[in-house]
Short mmCIF file of all heavy atoms in Angstrom, two decimals:
data_model
loop_
_atom_site.label_atom_id
_atom_site.label_comp_id
_atom_site.label_asym_id
_atom_site.label_seq_id
_atom_site.Cartn_x
_atom_site.Cartn_y
_atom_site.Cartn_z
N PHE A 1 -19.59 7.22 14.04
CA PHE A 1 -20.14 7.03 12.70
C PHE A 1 -20.00 5.57 12.24
O PHE A 1 -20.96 4.94 11.80
CB PHE A 1 -19.46 7.96 11.68
CG PHE A 1 -19.96 7.75 10.27
CD1 PHE A 1 -21.11 8.41 9.83
CD2 PHE A 1 -19.34 6.86 9.41
CE1 PHE A 1 -21.61 8.18 8.55
CE2 PHE A 1 -19.83 6.64 8.12
CZ PHE A 1 -20.97 7.30 7.70
N PHE A 2 -18.78 5.02 12.33
CA PHE A 2 -18.55 3.67 11.80
C PHE A 2 -19.26 2.58 12.60
O PHE A 2 -19.62 1.54 12.06
CB PHE A 2 -17.06 3.37 11.67
CG PHE A 2 -16.41 4.01 10.47
CD1 PHE A 2 -15.20 4.68 10.58
CD2 PHE A 2 -17.02 3.95 9.22
CE1 PHE A 2 -14.61 5.27 9.47
CE2 PHE A 2 -16.43 4.54 8.10
CZ PHE A 2 -15.23 5.20 8.23
N ASP A 3 -19.47 2.81 13.89
CA ASP A 3 -20.23 1.82 14.69
C ASP A 3 -21.65 1.68 14.15
O ASP A 3 -22.28 0.63 14.29
CB ASP A 3 -20.27 2.25 16.16
CG ASP A 3 -18.96 1.93 16.87
OD1 ASP A 3 -18.10 1.25 16.25
OD2 ASP A 3 -18.76 2.35 18.04
N ARG A 4 -22.16 2.73 13.54
CA ARG A 4 -23.53 2.70 13.01
C ARG A 4 -23.58 2.40 11.52
O ARG A 4 -24.64 2.21 10.95
CB ARG A 4 -24.21 4.05 13.24
CG ARG A 4 -24.38 4.41 14.71
CD ARG A 4 -24.87 5.84 14.81
NE ARG A 4 -24.95 6.28 16.19
CZ ARG A 4 -25.13 7.54 16.56
NH1 ARG A 4 -25.25 8.47 15.64
NH2 ARG A 4 -25.19 7.88 17.83
N ASN A 5 -22.41 2.48 10.84
CA ASN A 5 -22.40 2.32 9.38
C ASN A 5 -21.34 1.31 8.96
O ASN A 5 -20.30 1.67 8.40
CB ASN A 5 -22.12 3.68 8.70
CG ASN A 5 -23.23 4.69 8.96
OD1 ASN A 5 -24.22 4.74 8.25
ND2 ASN A 5 -23.04 5.49 9.99
N LEU A 6 -21.62 0.04 9.27
CA LEU A 6 -20.61 -1.01 9.04
C LEU A 6 -20.30 -1.21 7.56
O LEU A 6 -19.17 -1.56 7.21
CB LEU A 6 -21.06 -2.33 9.68
CG LEU A 6 -21.03 -2.34 11.22
CD1 LEU A 6 -21.57 -3.64 11.76
CD2 LEU A 6 -19.62 -2.10 11.74
N ASP A 7 -21.28 -0.99 6.69
CA ASP A 7 -21.02 -1.17 5.25
C ASP A 7 -19.94 -0.21 4.76
O ASP A 7 -19.03 -0.58 4.03
CB ASP A 7 -22.30 -0.95 4.43
CG ASP A 7 -23.26 -2.13 4.61
OD1 ASP A 7 -22.82 -3.14 5.18
OD2 ASP A 7 -24.43 -2.02 4.18
N THR A 8 -20.06 1.06 5.20
CA THR A 8 -19.06 2.06 4.79
C THR A 8 -17.69 1.68 5.36
O THR A 8 -16.66 1.78 4.68
CB THR A 8 -19.47 3.47 5.28
OG1 THR A 8 -20.83 3.70 4.92
CG2 THR A 8 -18.59 4.55 4.69
N LEU A 9 -17.69 1.23 6.62
CA LEU A 9 -16.42 0.81 7.25
C LEU A 9 -15.74 -0.30 6.44
O LEU A 9 -14.55 -0.24 6.15
CB LEU A 9 -16.70 0.32 8.68
CG LEU A 9 -15.51 -0.30 9.42
CD1 LEU A 9 -14.43 0.74 9.68
CD2 LEU A 9 -15.95 -0.93 10.75
N LYS A 10 -16.54 -1.30 6.03
CA LYS A 10 -15.96 -2.42 5.26
C LYS A 10 -15.43 -1.95 3.90
O LYS A 10 -14.40 -2.42 3.43
CB LYS A 10 -17.01 -3.53 5.08
CG LYS A 10 -17.19 -4.35 6.37
CD LYS A 10 -18.33 -5.34 6.26
CE LYS A 10 -18.54 -6.05 7.60
NZ LYS A 10 -19.83 -6.74 7.67
N THR A 11 -16.13 -0.99 3.29
CA THR A 11 -15.67 -0.43 2.00
C THR A 11 -14.29 0.21 2.16
O THR A 11 -13.38 -0.01 1.37
CB THR A 11 -16.67 0.65 1.50
OG1 THR A 11 -17.95 0.05 1.39
CG2 THR A 11 -16.26 1.24 0.17
N VAL A 12 -14.15 1.00 3.24
CA VAL A 12 -12.87 1.70 3.48
C VAL A 12 -11.76 0.70 3.77
O VAL A 12 -10.65 0.80 3.22
CB VAL A 12 -13.02 2.70 4.67
CG1 VAL A 12 -11.67 3.31 5.05
CG2 VAL A 12 -14.02 3.79 4.31
N LEU A 13 -12.05 -0.30 4.59
CA LEU A 13 -11.00 -1.27 4.96
C LEU A 13 -10.60 -2.15 3.78
O LEU A 13 -9.44 -2.52 3.64
CB LEU A 13 -11.46 -2.12 6.15
CG LEU A 13 -11.50 -1.37 7.50
CD1 LEU A 13 -12.09 -2.26 8.58
CD2 LEU A 13 -10.12 -0.88 7.92
N SER A 14 -11.56 -2.48 2.91
CA SER A 14 -11.18 -3.32 1.76
C SER A 14 -10.31 -2.51 0.79
O SER A 14 -9.40 -3.04 0.15
CB SER A 14 -12.40 -3.90 1.06
OG SER A 14 -13.11 -2.88 0.41
N SER A 15 -10.56 -1.21 0.74
CA SER A 15 -9.72 -0.33 -0.08
C SER A 15 -8.29 -0.31 0.48
O SER A 15 -7.31 -0.38 -0.26
CB SER A 15 -10.32 1.08 -0.08
OG SER A 15 -9.54 1.96 -0.81
N ALA A 16 -8.18 -0.25 1.81
CA ALA A 16 -6.85 -0.26 2.47
C ALA A 16 -6.14 -1.59 2.24
O ALA A 16 -4.93 -1.63 1.99
CB ALA A 16 -7.01 0.01 3.96
N GLU A 17 -6.92 -2.68 2.30
CA GLU A 17 -6.33 -4.02 2.12
C GLU A 17 -5.75 -4.15 0.70
O GLU A 17 -4.63 -4.64 0.51
CB GLU A 17 -7.44 -5.07 2.33
CG GLU A 17 -6.93 -6.47 2.52
CD GLU A 17 -8.09 -7.44 2.83
OE1 GLU A 17 -9.27 -7.07 2.62
OE2 GLU A 17 -7.79 -8.55 3.27
N LYS A 18 -6.51 -3.66 -0.28
CA LYS A 18 -6.06 -3.71 -1.67
C LYS A 18 -4.77 -2.88 -1.84
O LYS A 18 -3.81 -3.31 -2.47
CB LYS A 18 -7.17 -3.16 -2.58
CG LYS A 18 -6.94 -3.36 -4.06
CD LYS A 18 -8.19 -3.00 -4.87
CE LYS A 18 -8.34 -1.51 -5.03
NZ LYS A 18 -9.52 -1.09 -5.77
N ALA A 19 -4.76 -1.69 -1.23
CA ALA A 19 -3.59 -0.81 -1.34
C ALA A 19 -2.36 -1.45 -0.71
O ALA A 19 -1.25 -1.34 -1.24
CB ALA A 19 -3.90 0.53 -0.66
N ALA A 20 -2.56 -2.13 0.42
CA ALA A 20 -1.42 -2.76 1.11
C ALA A 20 -0.81 -3.85 0.23
O ALA A 20 0.42 -4.00 0.16
CB ALA A 20 -1.87 -3.33 2.45
N LYS A 21 -1.66 -4.63 -0.45
CA LYS A 21 -1.14 -5.69 -1.34
C LYS A 21 -0.30 -5.09 -2.45
O LYS A 21 0.79 -5.56 -2.76
CB LYS A 21 -2.31 -6.49 -1.95
CG LYS A 21 -2.82 -7.58 -1.02
CD LYS A 21 -3.96 -8.35 -1.66
CE LYS A 21 -4.59 -9.31 -0.63
NZ LYS A 21 -5.97 -9.64 -0.96
N ILE A 22 -0.84 -4.04 -3.07
CA ILE A 22 -0.10 -3.39 -4.18
C ILE A 22 1.21 -2.83 -3.64
O ILE A 22 2.26 -2.95 -4.27
CB ILE A 22 -0.96 -2.28 -4.82
CG1 ILE A 22 -2.19 -2.90 -5.49
CG2 ILE A 22 -0.16 -1.46 -5.82
CD1 ILE A 22 -3.23 -1.92 -5.95
N ARG A 23 1.16 -2.22 -2.45
CA ARG A 23 2.37 -1.62 -1.87
C ARG A 23 3.46 -2.67 -1.69
O ARG A 23 4.62 -2.45 -2.05
CB ARG A 23 2.05 -0.97 -0.52
CG ARG A 23 3.30 -0.62 0.29
CD ARG A 23 2.94 0.14 1.54
NE ARG A 23 2.04 -0.56 2.42
CZ ARG A 23 2.43 -1.40 3.38
NH1 ARG A 23 3.70 -1.69 3.55
NH2 ARG A 23 1.53 -1.98 4.16
N LYS A 24 3.05 -3.84 -1.16
CA LYS A 24 4.07 -4.88 -0.91
C LYS A 24 4.71 -5.35 -2.22
O LYS A 24 5.91 -5.56 -2.31
CB LYS A 24 3.45 -6.04 -0.14
CG LYS A 24 3.27 -5.67 1.34
CD LYS A 24 2.36 -6.63 2.08
CE LYS A 24 2.01 -6.06 3.45
NZ LYS A 24 0.87 -6.74 4.03
N THR A 25 3.88 -5.51 -3.26
CA THR A 25 4.41 -5.93 -4.57
C THR A 25 5.37 -4.87 -5.10
O THR A 25 6.45 -5.18 -5.60
CB THR A 25 3.24 -6.07 -5.58
OG1 THR A 25 2.20 -6.80 -4.94
CG2 THR A 25 3.67 -6.77 -6.84
N GLU A 26 4.96 -3.60 -4.97
CA GLU A 26 5.80 -2.53 -5.53
C GLU A 26 7.07 -2.33 -4.72
O GLU A 26 8.10 -1.96 -5.26
CB GLU A 26 4.99 -1.23 -5.62
CG GLU A 26 3.84 -1.36 -6.60
CD GLU A 26 3.31 -0.02 -7.08
OE1 GLU A 26 3.56 1.00 -6.41
OE2 GLU A 26 2.65 0.00 -8.15
N GLU A 27 6.98 -2.55 -3.40
CA GLU A 27 8.20 -2.41 -2.58
C GLU A 27 9.25 -3.41 -3.02
O GLU A 27 10.44 -3.11 -3.07
CB GLU A 27 7.86 -2.59 -1.09
CG GLU A 27 7.41 -1.29 -0.46
CD GLU A 27 6.91 -1.46 0.97
OE1 GLU A 27 6.85 -2.61 1.45
OE2 GLU A 27 6.57 -0.44 1.59
N LYS A 28 8.77 -4.63 -3.37
CA LYS A 28 9.73 -5.64 -3.87
C LYS A 28 10.37 -5.15 -5.15
O LYS A 28 11.59 -5.23 -5.34
CB LYS A 28 9.00 -6.96 -4.14
CG LYS A 28 8.88 -7.84 -2.91
CD LYS A 28 8.20 -9.15 -3.27
CE LYS A 28 7.65 -9.82 -2.01
NZ LYS A 28 6.59 -10.77 -2.34
N ALA A 29 9.55 -4.61 -6.06
CA ALA A 29 10.06 -4.12 -7.34
C ALA A 29 11.07 -2.99 -7.11
O ALA A 29 12.12 -2.93 -7.73
CB ALA A 29 8.91 -3.61 -8.20
N LYS A 30 10.73 -2.13 -6.15
CA LYS A 30 11.59 -0.99 -5.85
C LYS A 30 12.93 -1.47 -5.30
O LYS A 30 14.00 -1.00 -5.68
CB LYS A 30 10.87 -0.11 -4.81
CG LYS A 30 11.29 1.32 -4.76
CD LYS A 30 10.25 2.06 -3.94
CE LYS A 30 10.72 3.44 -3.55
NZ LYS A 30 9.73 4.14 -2.74
N THR A 31 12.87 -2.45 -4.38
CA THR A 31 14.09 -2.98 -3.78
C THR A 31 14.99 -3.59 -4.86
O THR A 31 16.19 -3.37 -4.88
CB THR A 31 13.75 -4.06 -2.73
OG1 THR A 31 12.74 -3.51 -1.88
CG2 THR A 31 14.95 -4.42 -1.89
N ASN A 32 14.37 -4.36 -5.78
CA ASN A 32 15.17 -4.97 -6.85
C ASN A 32 15.86 -3.92 -7.70
O ASN A 32 17.00 -4.07 -8.12
CB ASN A 32 14.29 -5.83 -7.77
CG ASN A 32 13.73 -7.02 -6.99
OD1 ASN A 32 14.25 -7.36 -5.93
ND2 ASN A 32 12.67 -7.62 -7.50
N LEU A 33 15.13 -2.82 -7.96
CA LEU A 33 15.70 -1.79 -8.82
C LEU A 33 16.74 -0.94 -8.13
O LEU A 33 17.67 -0.44 -8.75
CB LEU A 33 14.57 -0.85 -9.29
CG LEU A 33 13.88 -1.28 -10.56
CD1 LEU A 33 12.56 -0.56 -10.68
CD2 LEU A 33 14.75 -0.98 -11.77
N LEU A 34 16.56 -0.77 -6.83
CA LEU A 34 17.41 0.18 -6.12
C LEU A 34 18.44 -0.52 -5.22
O LEU A 34 18.86 0.03 -4.22
CB LEU A 34 16.56 1.14 -5.28
CG LEU A 34 15.48 1.91 -6.04
CD1 LEU A 34 14.78 2.88 -5.10
CD2 LEU A 34 16.08 2.69 -7.20
N THR A 35 18.80 -1.75 -5.57
CA THR A 35 19.75 -2.46 -4.70
C THR A 35 21.07 -1.71 -4.60
O THR A 35 21.75 -1.80 -3.61
CB THR A 35 20.02 -3.89 -5.23
OG1 THR A 35 20.18 -3.80 -6.64
CG2 THR A 35 18.88 -4.82 -4.89
N LYS A 36 21.41 -0.95 -5.65
CA LYS A 36 22.68 -0.21 -5.60
C LYS A 36 22.48 1.17 -5.00
O LYS A 36 23.10 2.12 -5.47
CB LYS A 36 23.24 -0.05 -7.00
CG LYS A 36 23.59 -1.32 -7.70
CD LYS A 36 24.13 -0.99 -9.06
CE LYS A 36 24.23 -2.20 -9.94
NZ LYS A 36 24.43 -1.81 -11.32
N GLN A 37 21.57 1.34 -4.06
CA GLN A 37 21.29 2.64 -3.46
C GLN A 37 20.46 3.51 -4.41
O GLN A 37 20.59 3.44 -5.61
CB GLN A 37 22.58 3.40 -3.12
CG GLN A 37 23.18 3.00 -1.79
CD GLN A 37 22.39 3.59 -0.63
OE1 GLN A 37 22.30 4.78 -0.49
NE2 GLN A 37 21.82 2.76 0.19
N LYS A 38 19.64 4.37 -3.82
CA LYS A 38 18.70 5.10 -4.67
C LYS A 38 19.35 6.16 -5.56
O LYS A 38 18.80 6.59 -6.53
CB LYS A 38 17.61 5.74 -3.81
CG LYS A 38 18.10 6.74 -2.82
CD LYS A 38 16.92 7.26 -2.05
CE LYS A 38 17.37 8.25 -0.98
NZ LYS A 38 17.04 7.89 0.34
N TYR A 39 20.57 6.60 -5.20
CA TYR A 39 21.18 7.64 -6.03
C TYR A 39 22.13 7.08 -7.08
O TYR A 39 22.92 7.78 -7.64
CB TYR A 39 21.89 8.68 -5.15
CG TYR A 39 20.90 9.43 -4.32
CD1 TYR A 39 20.97 9.43 -2.93
CD2 TYR A 39 19.84 10.09 -4.93
CE1 TYR A 39 20.02 10.11 -2.19
CE2 TYR A 39 18.88 10.76 -4.19
CZ TYR A 39 18.98 10.77 -2.82
OH TYR A 39 18.03 11.44 -2.08
N SER A 40 22.06 5.75 -7.31
CA SER A 40 22.98 5.19 -8.30
C SER A 40 22.34 5.16 -9.68
O SER A 40 22.79 4.44 -10.53
CB SER A 40 23.36 3.78 -7.89
OG SER A 40 22.25 2.94 -8.05
N PHE A 41 21.24 5.92 -9.86
CA PHE A 41 20.64 5.97 -11.20
C PHE A 41 21.72 6.32 -12.22
O PHE A 41 22.44 7.30 -12.05
CB PHE A 41 19.59 7.09 -11.26
CG PHE A 41 18.32 6.73 -10.58
CD1 PHE A 41 17.82 7.53 -9.57
CD2 PHE A 41 17.62 5.59 -10.94
CE1 PHE A 41 16.64 7.22 -8.94
CE2 PHE A 41 16.44 5.28 -10.33
CZ PHE A 41 15.95 6.09 -9.32
N ASP A 42 21.80 5.57 -13.29
CA ASP A 42 22.79 5.94 -14.30
C ASP A 42 22.19 7.01 -15.19
O ASP A 42 21.02 6.99 -15.51
CB ASP A 42 23.15 4.70 -15.14
CG ASP A 42 21.91 4.06 -15.73
OD1 ASP A 42 20.92 3.97 -14.99
OD2 ASP A 42 21.93 3.66 -16.91
#
């Protein structure tokens, strides 16, 4: 399918690229918040 429909392929991959950027930003935020282990929520 994707070999014949490159536009759809690019749409899907750009969606993945955007998600990966957000994930990396949020992982940093998560790490900062959870430095004292995830169960140390007060």
Side-chain angles (χ1 to χ4, degrees):
F1 178 85
F2 282 134
D3 281 353
R4 296 172 185 169
N5 296 273
L6 289 176
D7 286 350
T8 310
L9 173 66
K10 284 173 184 165
T11 302
V12 173
L13 288 175
S14 69
S15 178
E17 195 176 14
K18 189 170 78 181
K21 276 181 188 156
I22 294 170
R23 167 174 58 89
K24 284 166 191 164
T25 314
E26 295 199 340
E27 274 173 356
K28 274 182 199 158
K30 203 167 167 181
T31 311
N32 294 342
L33 271 163
L34 304 184
T35 43
K36 297 180 192 166
Q37 277 285 297
K38 61 181 178 240
Y39 294 121
S40 70
F41 284 124
D42 55 318

